[in-house]
Amino acid sequence: MPGGLASEILDLALAPAGRARVEWAEGQMPVLRSIRERFAADHPLEGAKVAACLHVTAETASLMHALVAGGAEAALCSANPLTVQDGVAAALVEQGIPVQATRGEDAEMYAKHVGALAEWGPDITLDDGADLLMLLHRWERHVKGGAEETRTGLLRLRRLEQDGKLSCPVIAVNESRTERTFNDRYGTGQSAIDGILRATNLLLAGRTLVLLGYGATGRGIAQRARGAGAHIVVCEVDPLRALEARMDGYEVMPALDAAERGDLFVTVTGSRGVLRREHLERMKDGVVLANAGHFDVEIDLDELRELATGGVRQVLPLVEQYDLGGRVLNLLAQGRVVNLAAGEGHPAGVMDMSFANLALAVEHLVVNGETLEHRVLDVPKEIDEEIARLKLESLGVEIDELTPDQQDYLSSWGG
Ligand code: ADE
């Protein structure tokens, strides 16, 4: 047991099912697999203690395997209590990788688990929302560096940087091209719809889906839902994004107007109070509410509870029905991030590139950490290009290279 860190999981007997799930995911993660093979040969992470506060899924287990193959001691806790795959946690523990996470753990247990990883004294942190690295900063514990998976986490860490309090380099994995383009558009785009359908078995064709937020993730959800026959209404506060939505062929309108139109509402803004009393009061009977943003603050749950004078009923495992005195509103997965809480998160084929970014970010921090500025930093361009190259290779796709003449021509314009 590395550094004496104990595991706290639901049940070790779930390991065989978890292992099968991890093997299935690994089969769809060729980029991470090739990094793992190189790590196993060269051990570039020898001796590093890497603490990961990520969603405990089969894809994350593949990342943990790559880190361990590279010579790191690695430990895992969950970035979200509702997304833990208990079998996967058991499989990792069985393989000697400490995990502190159980599905559905309460806030106190969640904090205890993140705290245990912080106490463990990592050199490098991996976060999905920045909870672990923020805690280490509050405790004034130094780490060599961190890598962050989400926009929300980066917002928190950039605030620390602006206040002059960021005490290590942080690699903004979320902003690499191989992460952002594919995660948001293809990963969340598909998996948010998947989560909603698993929870409800709704027929999307012919329904009006109101999408609140038209960032990269919103665009992905809209594209997929349109493909399934839904009519899309977009609500946006950013005029450029709103214009883009309109030119992409969607209806665009304020949320108050959309509230009366929608059959299904999906929030994906990164902000809070996006659907609040005034919207909830106008909605039709039987609508479905889902959140695809990182935190469960986009739908105002306090106001929803206050409005539910007729009570709240659990009608399906992931559907709570709020009775507003004659009208019911159906909330999915308690307003938590629906692609992970009701589905399995991004498909492994997408996480392949995200976690390749994280694995290579860890290597970058181990090798260069001491020389990097204590700022939120981009993933080096070479890492991004290497990942895209490996992914293309795995898909059997070849591409052209610039001729020397083209290189001269283009560099002569570069100034
Ligand atoms: N974030 C989104 N999808 C994920 C997945 N499948 N595993 C880990 N983190 C994720």
Side-chain angles (χ1 to χ4, degrees):
M1 192 182 296
L5 182 67
S7 289
E8 205 162 271
I9 59 165
L10 183 66
D11 185 357
L12 202 53
L14 300 172
R19 212 179 320 119
R21 207 164 170 168
V22 175
E23 280 166 17
W24 177 258
E26 274 174 353
Q28 296 167 64
M29 302 178 83
V31 177
L32 193 60
R33 218 166 43 235
S34 77
I35 291 170
R36 178 178 169 178
E37 281 159 15
R38 177 172 67 76
F39 277 8
D42 300 346
H43 291 111
L45 314 182
E46 197 65 60
K49 284 176 88 173
V50 183
C53 180
L54 300 170
H55 298 287
V56 178
T57 66
E59 293 75 30
T60 303
S62 305
L63 170 66
M64 302 306 282
H65 290 160
L67 298 177
V68 171
E73 282 182 67
L76 177 65
C77 68
S78 175
N80 181 330
L82 276 192
T83 62
V84 178
Q85 295 171 353
D86 289 310
V88 169
L92 283 169
V93 171
E94 193 187 57
Q95 290 155 352
I97 299 173
V99 181
Q100 297 235 350
T102 52
R103 193 175 186 93
E105 63 194 10
D106 61 18
E108 195 183 330
M109 188 61 84
Y110 174 79
K112 178 173 163 244
H113 289 158
V114 181
L117 261 75
E119 285 282 2
W120 181 55
D123 305 311
I124 308 256
T125 58
L126 305 180
D127 266 295
D128 189 307
D131 282 355
L132 178 58
L133 193 52
M134 293 294 287
L135 179 65
L136 284 158
H137 274 79
R138 273 202 300 286
W139 287 359
E140 298 183 3
R141 300 271 181 91
H142 181 70
V143 295
K144 197 165 175 179
E148 170 58 47
E149 264 277 296
T150 62
R151 198 165 72 88
T152 308
L154 287 176
L155 278 175
R156 299 173 82 188
L157 294 165
R158 287 211 163 94
R159 221 170 291 133
L160 269 192
E161 183 186 337
Q162 278 155 14
D163 295 345
K165 293 183 178 153
L166 190 65
S167 64
C168 65
V170 173
I171 309 290
V173 167
N174 178 256
E175 288 172 4
S176 79
R177 287 167 67 199
T178 44
E179 159 104 13
R180 189 173 219 165
T181 311
F182 302 97
N183 251 27
D184 293 350
R185 195 185 320 156
Y186 300 104
T188 317
Q190 176 172 309
S191 62
I193 298 292
D194 176 44
I196 291 166
L197 298 185
R198 285 189 198 206
T200 61
N201 199 21
L202 266 189
L203 175 66
L204 288 177
R207 300 285 171 98
T208 296
L209 186 160
V210 175
L211 188 59
L212 298 111
Y214 199 68
T217 305
R219 283 200 295 277
I221 294 173
Q223 236 174 32
R224 261 89 209 133
R226 173 153 68 185
H231 174 70
I232 313 290
V233 172
V234 172
C235 308
E236 237 313 331
V237 294
D238 177 313
L240 279 159
R241 287 182 177 172
L243 183 60
E244 198 181 347
R246 170 72 190 200
M247 293 210 179
D248 284 344
Y250 304 121
E251 267 196 278
V252 178
M253 65 181 72
L256 265 186
D257 296 336
E260 292 171 358
R261 297 271 306 276
D263 300 304
L264 166 63
F265 293 80
V266 183
T267 54
V268 61
T269 67
S271 186
R272 71 173 176 200
V274 180
L275 287 179
R276 40 186 194 273
R277 177 182 294 273
E278 66 215 76
H279 307 107
L280 302 170
E281 280 175 343
R282 288 181 173 217
M283 289 177 184
K284 296 189 289 196
D285 181 32
V287 304
V288 171
L289 310 176
N291 167 47
H294 185 78
F295 288 121
D296 58 353
V297 295
E298 302 213 13
I299 301 169
D300 192 323
L301 299 176
D302 289 336
E303 291 189 345
L304 180 56
R305 265 180 232 112
E306 277 168 31
L307 285 171
T309 49
V312 182
R313 265 185 343 124
Q314 188 84 39
V315 289
L316 288 173
L318 289 158
V319 185
E320 283 169 318
Q321 198 162 75
Y322 287 73
D323 185 340
L324 276 59
R327 270 180 320 126
V328 297
L329 308 187
N330 296 298
L331 177 69
L332 304 194
Q334 299 164 28
R336 291 183 192 260
V337 59
V338 73
N339 69 324
L340 278 146
E344 289 182 50
H346 299 333
V350 164
M351 292 316 290
D352 189 22
M353 287 186 282
S354 305
F355 285 162
N357 270 287
L358 274 187
L360 297 181
V362 171
E363 184 182 29
H364 183 57
L365 288 167
V366 168
V367 176
N368 304 306
E370 302 300 346
T371 63
L372 299 174
E373 286 182 87
H374 292 184
R375 291 183 35 221
V376 175
L377 302 165
D378 289 341
V379 171
K381 188 163 169 273
E382 310 76 65
I383 290 186
D384 226 356
E385 287 178 352
E386 171 70 357
I387 293 169
R389 200 183 54 71
L390 288 169
K391 191 71 173 175
L392 282 170
E393 205 174 286
S394 77
L395 294 167
V397 176
E398 292 179 24
I399 59 170
D400 293 316
E401 280 181 21
L402 290 173
T403 64
D405 177 58
Q406 287 172 324
Q407 280 176 18
D408 282 351
Y409 175 73
L410 291 174
S411 59
S412 70
W413 287 99

